C-alpha cells in the first residue's frame, strides 16, 4: 500500500516537475542566444565607430568603442594599443606596425620578424 502511494506521488511530481525544468532550460538557452546577439551587435557598432576618422568630437565615443571591444574580447587590448586606436583611424592603426603593441604575442602587424 505504501509503495503504491509512493509510486503515484512520484509520477504526479515528475509530471509537474519535468515540464517546468524543460521550460526553464529553454528560457535560459533563449537568454544566452539573446546575449550573444547583443554582444555581436555592440561589437559591430564599435568597429564601425573605430573605422571612422578620429576627430575631436568623437574621441569619447571611440573610447567607448574600445571599451566595448575589450568587454567582449577574450584578451583585452594593451593600454597603449587602446589609446592608439582611440586617437588614430583603424586603418592607420594597423599600418603603423607594432607601435603600441610591444607585448603583442603574435608579433608586429607589418608581418616582419619580432
Amino acid at each position: 500500500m505504501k509503495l503504491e502511494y509512493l509510486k503515484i506521488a512520484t509520477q504526479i511530481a515528475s509530471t509537474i516537475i519535468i515540464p517546468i525544468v524543460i521550460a526553464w532550460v529553454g528560457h535560459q538557452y533563449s537568454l544566452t542566444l539573446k546575449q550573444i546577439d547583443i554582444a555581436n551587435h555592440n561589437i559591430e557598432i564599435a568597429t564601425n565607430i573605430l573605422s571612422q576618422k578620429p576627430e575631436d568630437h568623437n574621441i569619447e565615443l571611440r573610447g567607448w568603442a574600445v571599451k566595448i571591444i575589450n568587454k567582449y574580447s577574450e584578451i583585452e587590448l594593451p593600454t597603449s594599443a587602446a589609446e592608439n586606436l582611440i586617437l588614430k583611424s583603424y586603418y592607420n592603426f594597423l599600418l603603423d606596425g607594432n607601435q603600441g603593441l610591444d607585448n603583442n604575442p603574435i608579433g608586429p602587424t607589418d608581418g616582419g620578424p619580432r
Side-chain angles (χ1 to χ4, degrees), residues 3-112:
L3 287 176
E4 283 185 36
Y5 177 73
L6 184 60
K7 183 178 176 182
I8 292 171
T10 304
Q11 288 174 341
I12 292 172
S14 65
T15 302
I16 295 170
I17 292 173
I18 289 175
I20 291 172
V21 169
I22 290 173
W24 181 80
V25 168
H27 178 70
Q28 293 301 314
Y29 182 75
S30 177
L31 284 178
T32 300
L33 289 179
K34 189 178 287 187
Q35 289 173 340
I36 290 170
D37 188 44
I38 290 170
N40 288 338
H41 186 69
N42 284 340
I43 290 170
E44 183 180 340
I45 291 170
T47 55
N48 285 339
I49 290 168
L50 292 172
S51 68
Q52 297 172 7
K53 182 179 177 184
E55 297 179 15
D56 289 341
H57 71 275
N58 68 359
I59 295 297
E60 287 184 23
L61 188 59
R62 293 177 68 79
W64 173 85
V66 168
K67 288 179 184 176
I68 291 295
I69 299 290
N70 278 336
K71 177 179 180 178
Y72 295 110
S73 177
E74 288 186 30
I75 301 172
E76 285 191 13
L77 289 168
T79 304
S80 59
E83 290 170 356
N84 283 336
L85 195 51
I86 291 168
L87 299 174
K88 297 180 182 182
S89 75
Y90 175 73
Y91 301 105
N92 288 341
F93 174 78
L94 292 177
L95 293 175
D96 281 348
N98 68 349
Q99 185 177 25
L101 297 176
D102 296 333
N103 296 323
N104 184 353
I106 60 171
T109 56
D110 64 359

